[in-house]
Amino acid sequence: MSRALVNMLSTINLFIALIIVAVFAFLGNVYLPKAGAIFGAIIGFAVASIICGVLAALCLIEKHLRVVADDVKKRQKASTHGSPVQRTAQAHQARTEPVIG
């Protein structure tokens, strides 16, 4: 469920940025009739890059953590279903390692 929400947020993030830029351009045009739309769009772009950039970074971090978690699950599954020789070697290594403490 959370994967679907993160993917949806990543998609919606683009539209949020466009809306922010459009609103700032409109407000700039209202308050400064000459070249206010351009000035407002520049300010809107800066605000959108900060807000949506943070959201995009968080989504990217989540996706990277998802890849790491999937890799760990695969490695754990492979180590528990290893050959009997591997399990015997791992058990022997665990018994022969010195305990420091």
Side-chain angles (χ1 to χ4, degrees):
M1 179 70 179
S2 66
R3 290 183 183 202
L5 292 174
V6 169
N7 290 336
M8 193 172 9
L9 180 62
S10 295
T11 304
I12 293 172
N13 194 23
L14 172 68
F15 297 112
I16 293 171
L18 292 174
I19 290 170
I20 290 172
V21 172
V23 167
F24 272 82
F26 175 75
L27 291 175
N29 193 30
V30 169
Y31 290 112
L32 301 170
K34 289 186 177 181
I38 295 171
F39 183 68
I42 292 170
I43 300 294
F45 182 76
V47 171
S49 65
I50 292 169
I51 293 171
C52 296
V54 169
L55 282 176
L58 291 174
C59 290
L60 186 63
I61 290 169
E62 192 278 335
K63 288 178 184 179
H64 287 158
L65 288 174
R66 184 187 319 163
V67 169
V68 170
D70 290 343
D71 187 47
V72 168
K73 284 181 186 178
K74 285 180 186 177
R75 287 178 186 261
Q76 285 177 345
K77 185 182 281 188
S79 68
T80 58
H81 298 327
S83 69
V85 174
Q86 289 175 337
R87 285 186 296 222
T88 304
Q90 290 172 352
H92 178 69
Q93 183 181 10
R95 281 183 274 151
T96 58
E97 289 181 353
V99 177
I100 300 173

